[in-house]
Amino acid sequence: MSTDRGAHLTGRRKANTAPEVTLRKAVHAAGGRFRLHRKVAKGCTPDFVIPSRGVAVFVDGCFWHGCPEHGRTKPWTGPNAELWAEKMRRNSDRDQRSTSLAQEHGWTVVRVWECSIRDDASAVAVGLLRPRADTALRHA
């Protein structure tokens, strides 16, 4: 059951979101080259991959993926509370499944919160291009 209050969510971008584009521009400016939305396994398509480094990058929105700092902390209420709670559970399950699939296919998975891109996209980009042992990004 949908409500008028959720109408603003219809048509939200799933690919090429503002944080993704910002990070890609920063990676490119830092000298990194990448491929967009490359399917790395059946059911697993990262936002972009850096093939030369074997890195699969997922940009996770704070709201939709439950950022510990900016995500929702209170239980859902209202007429669609259970629908929203289930939606967020499915998002989390899909994130875990995608991470596992990419890793099983030899990719190093890096999940980046939207807020860290907003804070300093250049630093995130440099972290993605560093050798894996040095990176301080949120690894899956």
Side-chain angles (χ1 to χ4, degrees), residues 47-70:
D47 295 313
F48 64 94
V49 296
I50 305 172
S52 64
R53 299 183 184 275
V55 175
V57 180
F58 293 87
V59 177
D60 291 341
C62 291
F63 176 79
W64 295 108
H65 296 269
C67 171
E69 191 174 339
H70 302 108

Side-chain angles (χ1 to χ4, degrees), residues 13-14 17-20 47 58-72 88 91-92 94-95 111-118 138:
R13 282 183 176 264
K14 293 180 182 177
T17 63
E20 283 179 44
D47 295 313
F58 293 87
V59 177
D60 291 341
C62 291
F63 176 79
W64 295 108
H65 296 269
C67 171
E69 191 174 339
H70 302 108
R72 186 174 184 88
M88 294 308 187
N91 285 354
S92 178
R94 185 177 55 249
D95 289 347
R111 301 194 82 89
V112 182
W113 288 118
E114 148 189 33
C115 56
S116 61
I117 296 167
R118 262 194 325 267
R138 179 176 70 111

Side-chain angles (χ1 to χ4, degrees), residues 6-111:
H8 67 285
L9 299 172
T10 302
R12 291 266 182 191
R13 282 183 176 264
K14 293 180 182 177
N16 300 317
T17 63
E20 283 179 44
V21 172
T22 299
L23 181 56
R24 292 190 324 232
K25 286 180 180 180
V27 167
H28 192 269
R33 299 300 175 256
F34 50 84
R35 296 291 175 256
L36 299 179
H37 312 293
R38 177 183 280 176
K39 187 178 197 178
V40 298
K42 183 176 170 106
C44 178
T45 306
D47 295 313
F48 64 94
V49 296
I50 305 172
S52 64
R53 299 183 184 275
V55 175
V57 180
F58 293 87
V59 177
D60 291 341
C62 291
F63 176 79
W64 295 108
H65 296 269
C67 171
E69 191 174 339
H70 302 108
R72 186 174 184 88
T73 56
K74 297 178 183 173
W76 293 94
T77 60
N80 290 329
E82 184 52 38
L83 177 134
W84 280 104
E86 180 59 26
K87 166 70 175 153
M88 294 308 187
R89 275 192 294 277
R90 282 193 319 266
N91 285 354
S92 178
D93 291 347
R94 185 177 55 249
D95 289 347
Q96 291 173 12
R97 189 173 51 253
S98 294
T99 295
S100 295
L101 283 168
Q103 288 172 334
E104 288 169 12
H105 284 81
W107 292 89
T108 298
V109 175
V110 179
R111 301 194 82 89

